[in-house]
Amino acid sequence: MSRDLPDFDLSRFLPYRLTVASDRLSAGLARRYRTEFGISNAEWRVLVHLADAGEVSIRELEARVHLEKSKASRAASRLVEAGHVTKRPNPEDRRLVRLSLSDRGRALMTELLPMAASYQERLEAVIGTHMDDLEAALEAIMEADL
Amino acid sequence: MSRDLPDFDLSRFLPYRLTVASDRLSAGLARRYRTEFGISNAEWRVLVHLADAGEVSIRELEARVHLEKSKASRAASRLVEAGHVTKRPNPEDRRLVRLSLSDRGRALMTELLPMAASYQERLEAVIGTHMDDLEAALEAIMEADL
DNA sequence: CAGTATTCGTTGCATGCGCAACAACGTCAA
DNA sequence: TTGACGTTGTTGCGCATGCAACGAATACTG
């Protein structure tokens, strides 16, 4: 029995804790989106960006909502398939694509967005006074190079 | 052009921000573990728990390190395959399994654990004074029911 | 004790993922 | 204009994942 290993408490390891907390929130949301609307997490990000950006290309999705381009492309395809999104070529640069919400997609977002907003509110209530520091910490993580 | 959709800023949506930040940390770590040791994230969690828990069953992994049982089972298989972990049946309850670090696995952890600890330190330096609130917020998220 | 329910770990299946390769298109210099 | 180079989006491939179903082992109940 060699007890020479350094002590290490996984439950205090920040990347682990962040992942677990994030998975918890995402799983809860994803379950609602999926069961009620048949929408996955990636698809939801696309929809949200379309809802306030209008016409968008794949590479813009990649940059704005942190979706790798193949993931963005496939999410968009599924949304087109489902009738929530319209895809057409960009005539000014035919490499690009113009994604936009269809009427049906817009109707969907009329339900989804308020649901997300109320989720955010409940979350902020739960987090309470730590909210500002939480945001500051997340920004520090995003800007740090590690 | 119906501009009737509620405003919603994805970049302020907490589940999204948490996921992005967590992915950023996990991806950085995973890359190092994978390129230097051929270890995935799930496998790493198993190793860490084995390093301070000794002999462990799959269901204990599931409970302690938040790995769904099939994920834990497959991670363990890969580690056995790689020679880092030993698996044998539990004689007192033959449904259970006893996973433990092999000598090779222990040697691996001698390198991995200090690396993780120093990563945590750099992270805490980056987060600075927000650290306590960050932890409090994460705990609130974990305990809330949403 | 027999018979049923429960627990544990593994596996089959469908699916989503990341990465590299690719075709189509545009840019730029000579 | 031509040809080399960069960009954009899609797709093939291998792999990890989540879920349900399953066999084996144990616990429980009357």
Side-chain angles (χ1 to χ4, degrees):
Chain A
M1 284 305 140
S2 40
R3 282 271 4 101
D4 46 358
L5 286 179
D7 277 351
F8 186 82
D9 189 353
L10 182 62
S11 70
R12 294 200 203 291
F13 190 50
L14 199 55
Y16 168 72
R17 298 188 79 177
L18 265 181
T19 299
V20 172
S22 146
D23 285 353
R24 184 172 154 81
L25 296 188
S26 295
L29 275 173
R31 212 160 44 83
R32 297 191 56 180
Y33 293 156
R34 186 166 43 82
T35 62
E36 297 183 30
F37 306 97
I39 296 297
S40 81
N41 237 307
E43 286 153 29
W44 184 76
R45 284 197 206 174
V46 173
L47 288 172
V48 169
H49 189 58
L50 290 183
D52 81 6
E55 292 197 322
V56 162
S57 68
I58 295 287
R59 86 171 198 281
E60 193 171 332
L61 282 176
E62 184 173 20
R64 302 283 180 184
V65 300
H66 282 89
L67 284 181
E68 193 247 0
K69 63 179 182 173
S70 69
K71 200 171 173 178
S73 171
R74 292 194 246 239
S77 294
R78 276 172 263 153
L79 289 169
V80 170
E81 182 94 12
H84 297 308
V85 164
T86 303
K87 170 162 62 179
R88 45 182 180 170
N90 182 333
E92 295 168 13
D93 184 340
R94 294 198 324 237
R95 293 170 301 182
L96 298 183
V97 147
R98 285 191 170 169
L99 300 166
S100 55
L101 288 181
S102 67
D103 289 345
R104 207 170 144 213
R106 207 181 306 274
L108 180 67
M109 294 316 281
T110 306
E111 298 191 60
L112 277 180
L113 290 182
M115 178 183 298
S118 90
Y119 191 85
Q120 172 88 3
E121 279 176 23
R122 266 181 295 156
L123 216 42
E124 289 183 3
V126 161
I127 293 171
T129 59
H130 311 297
M131 191 64 193
D132 289 344
D133 290 273
L134 173 56
E135 293 197 334
L138 291 178
E139 272 187 30
I141 288 173
M142 291 311 295
E143 284 163 17
D145 93 315
L146 299 156
Chain B
M1 283 301 141
S2 41
R3 282 267 12 97
D4 47 358
L5 286 178
D7 277 351
F8 186 83
D9 189 353
L10 182 63
S11 71
R12 292 201 203 291
F13 190 51
L14 199 55
Y16 168 74
R17 298 188 78 176
L18 266 181
T19 300
V20 173
S22 147
D23 285 353
R24 185 172 154 81
L25 296 188
S26 295
L29 276 173
R31 212 161 43 82
R32 296 192 54 181
Y33 292 157
R34 185 166 44 80
T35 62
E36 297 183 30
F37 306 98
I39 296 297
S40 81
N41 237 308
E43 285 153 28
W44 185 78
R45 285 198 207 174
V46 172
L47 288 173
V48 169
H49 189 59
L50 289 183
D52 81 7
E55 291 196 321
V56 162
S57 66
I58 295 287
R59 87 170 198 282
E60 192 170 332
L61 282 176
E62 184 173 20
R64 303 282 181 185
V65 299
H66 282 91
L67 284 180
E68 193 246 1
K69 63 181 184 174
S70 70
K71 199 170 172 178
S73 171
R74 292 193 245 239
S77 293
R78 276 171 264 156
L79 290 169
V80 170
E81 183 93 14
H84 297 308
V85 164
T86 303
K87 170 162 63 180
R88 44 182 180 169
N90 181 334
E92 295 167 14
D93 183 341
R94 295 192 329 230
R95 291 171 301 184
L96 298 183
V97 146
R98 284 190 170 168
L99 300 166
S100 55
L101 287 181
S102 68
D103 289 346
R104 206 171 144 211
R106 207 181 307 274
L108 180 67
M109 294 316 281
T110 306
E111 298 190 61
L112 277 181
L113 290 182
M115 178 183 297
S118 91
Y119 191 85
Q120 171 89 2
E121 278 174 24
R122 266 182 295 157
L123 216 42
E124 289 183 4
V126 161
I127 293 171
T129 60
H130 310 296
M131 191 63 194
D132 289 345
D133 290 271
L134 173 57
E135 294 197 334
L138 291 179
E139 273 187 30
I141 288 173
M142 291 310 295
E143 284 162 16
D145 90 317
L146 301 156

